[in-house]
Amino acid sequence: MQEQEKTNLYLVPTPIGNLEDITLRAIRVLKEVDVILAEDTRTSGKLLQHFGIEKRMHSHHLHNEHKATAHLVDRMKEGEVMALISDAGTPGISDPGFFLVRECLKNDLKIECLPGATAFVPALVKSGFSTDRFTFEGFLPVKKGRQTRLISLAEEERTMIFYESPHRLLKTLTQFKEYFGEERQASVSREISKMFEETINGTLDELINIFTTKAIKGEFVVVVAGAKA
């Protein structure tokens, strides 16, 4: 029987809200690896403590991933097995992970990505818009390139998915109305899998009116119907 190739790096999704959303496999992997790379060790420390996982953690975030990656790759080449987690959801989806994965692949290191929690899938399914074809846009550029991106998406026929922070939600919805039209259907989900989870559907004009008078708190996923939906 051929010996199974050793995995060097595990990408492990963590709950985006409800702690029950973590998988049994994720818990086992986190207990078995040599070290856990965490976006914020304080946030992840609480998660690990909850599940009785006692492992060394190293900080791995957007501000240090380029500098730290070469050293991490060398350590994995020497035999260390690592797991990468983000504060919530699947690493690499609008979170650190892409650069480390790319460098591991360049160095012929084996990677496994566990299935698990991510915010955009439940938001998409709950929106009622077509799931046959969709485009995940993540966070729009804050300044440079934002207008160009919106213009390029104005005629997009696939369902579009965006992440947005509470302090930019109204601005983004207003720009969507400007570029996509006030009657375009959209869905806004917040705090997915958490206690105050909420999804509101309507035209962009209706959603702007709702969130003009509504307290805007939490993390948001905005799903917009395609141009010819």
Side-chain angles (χ1 to χ4, degrees), residues 176-202:
F176 285 171
K177 174 182 173 180
E178 178 185 350
Y179 288 92
F180 304 158
E182 63 180 22
E183 293 301 314
R184 183 75 69 93
Q185 292 290 320
S187 174
V188 177
S189 294
R190 74 179 187 98
E191 298 293 87
I192 291 173
S193 89
K194 298 179 183 178
M195 183 180 296
F196 298 105
E197 179 176 352
E198 180 180 39
T199 296
I200 301 174
N201 297 332

Side-chain angles (χ1 to χ4, degrees), residues 68-79:
T69 292
H71 178 58
L72 295 175
V73 167
D74 286 341
R75 288 170 55 181
M76 282 184 265
K77 283 181 175 180
E78 292 171 2

Side-chain angles (χ1 to χ4, degrees), residues 170 173 177 181-186 188 200-214:
L170 262 179
L173 291 174
K177 174 182 173 180
E182 63 180 22
E183 293 301 314
R184 183 75 69 93
Q185 292 290 320
V188 177
I200 301 174
N201 297 332
T203 65
L204 287 170
D205 197 47
E206 290 170 341
L207 291 170
I208 290 168
N209 288 333
I210 289 170
F211 284 101
T212 298
T213 58
K214 184 180 178 65

Side-chain angles (χ1 to χ4, degrees), residues 12-171:
V12 182
T14 53
I16 58 176
N18 193 317
L19 293 180
E20 293 179 357
D21 291 339
I22 198 166
T23 67
L24 295 174
R25 183 183 174 202
I27 294 172
R28 176 180 61 78
V29 167
L30 292 175
K31 287 182 177 180
E32 291 178 353
V33 296
D34 298 312
V35 63
I36 297 172
L37 308 176
E39 186 177 3
D40 187 326
T41 55
R42 293 166 299 180
T43 300
S44 296
K46 296 174 184 177
L47 176 72
L48 300 184
Q49 183 178 24
H50 179 83
F51 289 106
I53 301 170
E54 298 180 0
K55 284 291 173 179
R56 285 185 295 135
M57 280 193 297
H58 289 324
S59 180
H60 186 80
H61 47 72
L62 288 172
H63 302 295
N64 75 350
E65 63 174 341
H66 285 72
K67 184 178 180 180
T69 292
H71 178 58
L72 295 175
V73 167
D74 286 341
R75 288 170 55 181
M76 282 184 265
K77 283 181 175 180
E78 292 171 2
E80 278 194 81
V81 179
M82 300 186 180
L84 174 66
I85 61 177
S86 64
D87 287 349
T90 301
I93 303 295
S94 294
D95 277 319
F98 160 74
F99 188 74
L100 179 59
V101 168
R102 186 179 67 182
E103 295 305 303
C104 284
L105 292 174
K106 285 181 181 178
N107 286 273
D108 297 321
L109 295 171
K110 184 180 178 182
I111 300 168
E112 284 192 49
C113 183
L114 278 60
T118 190
F120 77 81
V121 173
L124 168 65
V125 175
K126 287 172 61 177
S127 72
F129 303 144
S130 173
T131 58
D132 293 340
R133 297 174 66 236
F134 58 88
T135 174
F136 174 70
E137 295 294 323
F139 288 97
L140 286 168
V142 176
K143 294 180 181 179
K144 186 178 180 181
R146 188 179 179 93
Q147 184 180 36
T148 302
R149 179 79 61 85
L150 288 167
I151 291 172
S152 72
L153 292 172
E155 301 303 321
E156 174 60 66
E157 296 184 7
R158 296 171 294 179
T159 301
M160 296 174 282
I161 307 165
F162 304 86
Y163 284 167
E164 195 49 276
S165 61
H167 67 276
R168 280 199 298 266
L169 178 67
L170 262 179
K171 174 185 176 181

